[in-house]
Amino acid sequence: MEKKLVSVITPAYNAEKYIADAIESVLRQTYTNWEMIIVDDGSGDTTGEIVKRYTNDSRIIYHRLEKNSGVAVAMNTAIESAHGSLLAFLDADDLWKPEKLQKHVAFTLKNDYAFTFSAYEIIREKGNKVVHAPKSQNYSQYMRNTVIGTSAAMLNLDKIGHDFRMVNLRKDLDSMTWAKLLRSGYTAYGLDKSLVYYRKVETSISNDKWKAAVNHWENCRKVEKLPFFKCLFYFIGYCFNALKKHYF
């Protein structure tokens, strides 16, 4: 199978605590034809200094935004400079298992899929929780169960188009980006192998579930422009599955 170049997209903001672990997890990949584009979103800590220690490996590329512009701007800055046919995403506080790219790339290319995602594992104090990947998700299924983790997603730009960009939102941009792709007619196909460690960081935006839920509701109404009752139907499923995913 042709060794397609994978562009790994990593936005980072004040990520000094975890960014080295994220980079190391990419360096340990058994699939080696990748570039990792890290965009520092105006961090005020030592994130940039840590990343620069790894740039002796030419596959690791560092960009810095002079002011904090939001994760969408950081991600799109990385995507604009990407050279790969495949896009993979790794948040600065997440980790990939060593076989992640090898298995995920094979799954995507063997089946000629445009949009894929894997299962992932949430690191929790009371024991890790595996979030399984359903066989596939269409728009309606996804809006009721936003199971596609950012660090577990992969896009085939040869099929989606190299002009792909994330939806420009400061919060919930991954959910709204996947929703936009699915609404446009793509299906997301799941690889039910846990290939990612998702770290629940107590200070992260996503950890405040109430605010995240309210923001998701507002985006479903304003960005996706869903009618009230359809939005409510989806939102009930979203809340139920979010609680199930993280707490049960």
Side-chain angles (χ1 to χ4, degrees):
M1 185 180 294
E2 183 184 354
K3 288 282 189 180
K4 295 274 189 179
L5 176 65
V6 180
S7 294
V8 183
I9 306 302
T10 300
Y13 177 66
N14 290 345
E16 63 182 6
K17 188 173 181 181
Y18 299 118
I19 189 64
D21 291 342
I23 296 170
E24 292 283 354
S25 78
V26 177
L27 288 169
R28 287 194 293 269
Q29 292 299 301
T30 55
Y31 186 97
T32 58
N33 192 22
W34 52 262
E35 61 177 6
M36 185 179 191
I37 307 170
I38 302 168
V39 175
D40 181 348
D41 190 18
S43 294
D45 64 1
T46 61
T47 295
E49 296 170 29
I50 293 169
V51 175
K52 287 176 183 176
R53 296 173 195 161
Y54 291 92
T55 54
N56 60 319
D57 187 320
S58 62
R59 297 173 298 175
I60 297 174
I61 303 156
Y62 173 72
H63 297 288
R64 176 178 169 83
L65 303 178
E66 290 309 312
K67 65 177 183 178
N68 179 250
S69 302
V71 65
V73 172
M75 292 180 80
N76 285 332
T77 298
I79 292 168
E80 286 164 9
S81 64
H83 298 95
S85 298
L86 300 172
L87 279 189
F89 306 86
L90 179 60
D91 286 347
D93 52 7
D94 291 344
L95 303 164
W96 280 349
K97 297 182 180 180
E99 69 276 18
K100 196 275 184 186
L101 284 182
Q102 184 174 342
K103 291 184 176 180
H104 203 158
V105 169
F107 175 72
T108 298
L109 296 183
K110 179 181 177 181
N111 296 288
D112 198 30
Y113 289 146
F115 183 8
T116 57
F117 62 102
S118 75
Y120 59 91
E121 195 167 334
I122 300 173
I123 301 172
R124 306 187 301 179
E125 288 183 4
K126 61 181 180 180
N128 292 1
K129 166 74 180 292
V130 174
V131 177
H132 290 279
K135 186 174 181 180
S136 64
Q137 279 203 314
N138 59 28
Y139 179 79
S140 179
Q141 291 167 326
Y142 178 71
M143 295 304 287
R144 286 177 280 132
N145 183 14
T146 54
V147 73
I148 303 172
T150 305
S151 296
M154 181 174 287
L155 302 178
N156 185 344
L157 296 185
D158 288 340
K159 300 184 75 67
I160 288 175
H162 288 259
D163 58 349
F164 165 82
R165 297 294 183 269
M166 303 294 289
V167 173
N168 191 8
L169 296 169
R170 275 193 173 264
K171 300 177 183 179
D172 201 33
L173 77 154
D174 49 349
S175 295
M176 292 298 102
T177 299
W178 310 151
K180 181 180 177 181
L181 282 172
L182 297 173
R183 178 167 43 80
S184 68
Y186 292 103
T187 298
Y189 292 95
L191 171 61
D192 196 22
K193 295 182 184 296
S194 178
L195 302 176
V196 178
Y197 287 114
Y198 169 78
R199 203 191 305 264
K200 282 187 67 176
V201 181
E202 294 302 316
T203 57
S204 69
I205 292 171
S206 62
N207 194 62
D208 190 333
K209 298 305 176 188
W210 170 247
K211 288 183 179 178
V214 170
N215 189 72
H216 185 74
W217 167 269
E218 291 176 349
N219 284 335
C220 287
R221 293 284 282 149
K222 295 176 183 178
V223 179
E224 281 301 293
K225 303 186 185 305
L226 292 171
F228 179 83
F229 286 107
K230 180 174 279 191
C231 189
L232 182 62
F233 171 69
Y234 287 153
F235 189 68
I236 291 170
Y238 162 84
C239 290
F240 171 78
N241 284 297
L243 288 171
K244 181 180 175 183
K245 178 169 58 178
H246 288 279
Y247 299 109
F248 300 106

